[in-house]
Amino acid sequence: MHSVFRAGFAAQWGAGAWPAAPLIVHGGAAAVLCGLTSDVLPPFAYGVFALAVCGALIVLPLLGDFGPLLRADAAAEWVEALPVTRTELRLARTMLVLFALAVLSLAALVPAAWFAPVHGLGPRLGFVAAGLAQSLFLAAILLGIQSILGERAEALLVLLQTVLVVGVVLGFAVGLRFVPRMIHLTSPVDAGLGWLPPAWFATSIAPAGVDLPALWRAAPWLAGLAALLVLAIAPLPRAPRARTSGGWIALLLSPLRALATRVWVRRAERPAFDLVFDALPLEREFVVRTYPMIGIPLAFLIAGSRGEAGAMREGLLAVLLFTPAAYLPILLVHVPATASHEARWILETSPLPRGAHDRGAIKAVALRFLLPLYALLFVLAWSQASFAFALRLSLPAALVSLILLRTLYGKFVHEPPLSVAPDAIEAQLDWTGVLAGLGVGLTLVAILAANFVTTVAVGLAVTAALIVVERALDAGAAKAA
């Protein structure tokens, strides 16, 4: 078992492949939020708040980059042929899961325990232990969902990840407003918190003088032991199989795809266009890493639109329409990601130039991802404001995103599409400045559009001008190649 664990550890964590970015982000987020609330909340209320933050931060990577830890090994048949028993394999696998959970959880739990409003080392260590038990519990729930639902759980997990992204962003944006309401919380029965897992594990930090039933005092440790048992014996779901079609969205887009291949996609661009359009949405790692990002602008819309009406609501909607392009770098950097990266020779040995592949991929991303996104945003803007508002701003916003897609593609995509293993994708630690710059710039564009594109006629004129710009960029790229 020891050798199997070492081999798995080397594959996941060896050669310095530690998840530095998630650890830094988790530690920083927990330090900021917990540091701001430690002087305001009593111990139990602080525990609920801090463990809710830590729980959300641990579930996000378990749904994304670390999701394979809760699924069967793709090489399970080969590994089982080695001179080890199934029990040893499962114990080694469980140890790997526990190690990953501990590393990811401690990044947030250590600063949360540091700011905890308690005295002495013992209560802080107890809080960290309860946080680790909560991480076990959450991982066991995710494993149970996947074991029961199988491949049907994929859409549910992506939706859950999107909801968590919305929740995390809302927590940073407006969550601190609700902290004063938590001051009087002293036990899980207050305010009906008995259903909330962070309230169970926060009893570990409740003062001894608080009257709590013995069952609530033992809840963190009982839940942690039950979760450990689930992680050790529950059947691991199979790795998702490749789907044969892109689902109902691809079916709805098929007429537009046929039109695009006639009037927009050049012959030399067609192979890469078809490859990216058909195959990229089938890549699970691409889906779980990019789709939930739409939750970020939605969260800001929710945070800012409460009780607002008229011009203020339209201004927020304008920001929502223009700012999704700020997350294009996250989408673009995963365009080369694929579980079938060994087949990259097909593109590398193609007689077509690399520029043709890039232009085809750009158009496929625009049609397959930007178009459905802006169709959804158009409906949202229509429902929240008016059809005229949606028409005059959605079209210019979509074209601005398309132009930025062309501009940013070469800066963030350095390999052919669908040619690199997902775990080999470069993680840029300096993206904060890029994303912030795009966000600020697009917000200014949204404000200008909301103030000056005030009629449908003006919106259509701006749309026509942007179409001319896009076509000129397309022709220039094709000529340069």
Side-chain angles (χ1 to χ4, degrees), residues 394-407:
S394 295
L395 295 177
L399 285 164
V400 167
S401 294
L402 176 57
I403 292 171
L404 281 176
L405 174 64
R406 287 191 178 277
T407 305

Side-chain angles (χ1 to χ4, degrees), residues 190-339:
D190 293 340
L193 293 178
W195 62 273
L196 189 66
W200 311 346
F201 297 92
T203 57
S204 63
I205 204 176
V210 176
D211 184 18
L212 277 177
L215 182 60
W216 280 118
R217 292 284 186 185
W221 322 119
L222 294 176
L225 290 174
L228 185 60
L229 184 63
V230 170
L231 290 173
I233 66 174
L236 291 173
R238 292 181 178 273
R241 296 175 298 176
R243 292 175 289 162
T244 58
S245 67
W248 60 271
I249 295 180
L251 182 63
L252 290 176
L253 289 175
S254 56
L256 291 175
R257 177 184 182 178
L259 178 63
T261 56
R262 286 179 175 272
V263 302
W264 191 35
V265 181
R266 294 179 177 85
R267 184 176 181 180
E269 301 164 356
R270 182 71 183 273
F273 174 85
D274 288 339
L275 175 67
V276 173
F277 189 97
D278 290 326
L280 194 58
L282 307 183
E283 295 288 342
R284 182 186 185 276
E285 299 304 321
F286 174 83
V287 171
V288 299
R289 296 183 188 192
T290 59
Y291 281 23
M293 290 300 102
I294 187 59
I296 297 177
L298 288 177
F300 282 111
L301 176 66
I302 295 171
S305 63
R306 296 179 305 149
E308 303 292 349
M312 181 63 72
R313 178 177 291 273
E314 290 188 355
L316 292 169
L317 288 170
V319 172
L320 176 65
L321 290 171
F322 280 90
T323 52
Y327 311 102
L328 283 175
I330 298 174
L331 184 148
L332 289 176
V333 79
H334 289 99
V335 168
T338 177

Side-chain angles (χ1 to χ4, degrees), residues 44 47-53 55-56 134 138 188 193 195-203:
F44 175 78
V48 174
F49 177 84
L51 289 174
V53 171
Q134 177 184 253
L138 296 173
L193 293 178
W195 62 273
L196 189 66
W200 311 346
F201 297 92
T203 57

Side-chain angles (χ1 to χ4, degrees), residues 161-171 292 294-296 298-300 302:
Q161 192 175 8
T162 305
V163 172
L164 281 172
V165 169
V166 173
V168 170
V169 175
L170 280 176
I294 187 59
I296 297 177
L298 288 177
F300 282 111
I302 295 171

Side-chain angles (χ1 to χ4, degrees), residues 126-480:
F127 175 80
V128 171
L132 292 173
Q134 177 184 253
S135 297
L136 288 177
F137 181 77
L138 296 173
I141 289 178
L142 293 178
L143 175 59
I145 291 174
Q146 295 180 79
S147 296
I148 294 171
L149 298 180
E151 294 182 359
R152 293 172 295 178
E154 292 300 309
L156 176 62
L157 294 178
V158 172
L159 177 61
L160 175 60
Q161 192 175 8
T162 305
V163 172
L164 281 172
V165 169
V166 173
V168 170
V169 175
L170 280 176
F172 270 102
V174 299
L176 294 177
R177 299 180 188 175
F178 300 95
V179 168
R181 302 183 186 181
M182 302 176 62
I183 292 178
H184 303 293
L185 296 179
T186 58
S187 74
V189 297
D190 293 340
L193 293 178
W195 62 273
L196 189 66
W200 311 346
F201 297 92
T203 57
S204 63
I205 204 176
V210 176
D211 184 18
L212 277 177
L215 182 60
W216 280 118
R217 292 284 186 185
W221 322 119
L222 294 176
L225 290 174
L228 185 60
L229 184 63
V230 170
L231 290 173
I233 66 174
L236 291 173
R238 292 181 178 273
R241 296 175 298 176
R243 292 175 289 162
T244 58
S245 67
W248 60 271
I249 295 180
L251 182 63
L252 290 176
L253 289 175
S254 56
L256 291 175
R257 177 184 182 178
L259 178 63
T261 56
R262 286 179 175 272
V263 302
W264 191 35
V265 181
R266 294 179 177 85
R267 184 176 181 180
E269 301 164 356
R270 182 71 183 273
F273 174 85
D274 288 339
L275 175 67
V276 173
F277 189 97
D278 290 326
L280 194 58
L282 307 183
E283 295 288 342
R284 182 186 185 276
E285 299 304 321
F286 174 83
V287 171
V288 299
R289 296 183 188 192
T290 59
Y291 281 23
M293 290 300 102
I294 187 59
I296 297 177
L298 288 177
F300 282 111
L301 176 66
I302 295 171
S305 63
R306 296 179 305 149
E308 303 292 349
M312 181 63 72
R313 178 177 291 273
E314 290 188 355
L316 292 169
L317 288 170
V319 172
L320 176 65
L321 290 171
F322 280 90
T323 52
Y327 311 102
L328 283 175
I330 298 174
L331 184 148
L332 289 176
V333 79
H334 289 99
V335 168
T338 177
S340 306
H341 53 92
E342 296 90 350
R344 65 177 291 160
W345 62 269
I346 297 176
L347 288 174
E348 290 179 336
T349 58
S350 170
L352 296 172
R354 170 68 186 275
H357 296 323
D358 291 343
R359 296 193 305 275
I362 289 171
K363 293 177 180 180
V365 170
L367 186 62
R368 187 61 179 80
F369 300 103
L370 284 186
L371 181 61
L373 171 62
Y374 273 97
L376 175 63
L377 294 178
F378 179 90
V379 173
L380 180 62
W382 184 1
S383 64
Q384 295 293 312
S386 65
F387 177 79
F389 172 83
L391 184 62
R392 75 175 189 259
L393 287 187
S394 295
L395 295 177
L399 285 164
V400 167
S401 294
L402 176 57
I403 292 171
L404 281 176
L405 174 64
R406 287 191 178 277
T407 305
L408 297 173
Y409 187 91
K411 299 181 183 299
F412 291 94
V413 182
H414 306 297
E415 298 287 344
L418 295 162
S419 64
V420 178
D423 57 1
I425 294 296
E426 296 181 2
Q428 301 290 340
L429 295 179
D430 58 348
W431 276 10
T432 303
V434 176
L435 298 180
L438 283 171
V440 171
L442 288 168
T443 299
L444 293 176
V445 172
I447 294 172
L448 292 174
N451 286 314
F452 294 101
V453 184
T454 55
T455 65
V456 173
V458 175
L460 294 177
V462 172
T463 300
L466 291 173
I467 289 175
V468 172
V469 172
E470 194 281 329
R471 296 301 295 164
L473 291 174
D474 184 28
K479 186 177 180 179

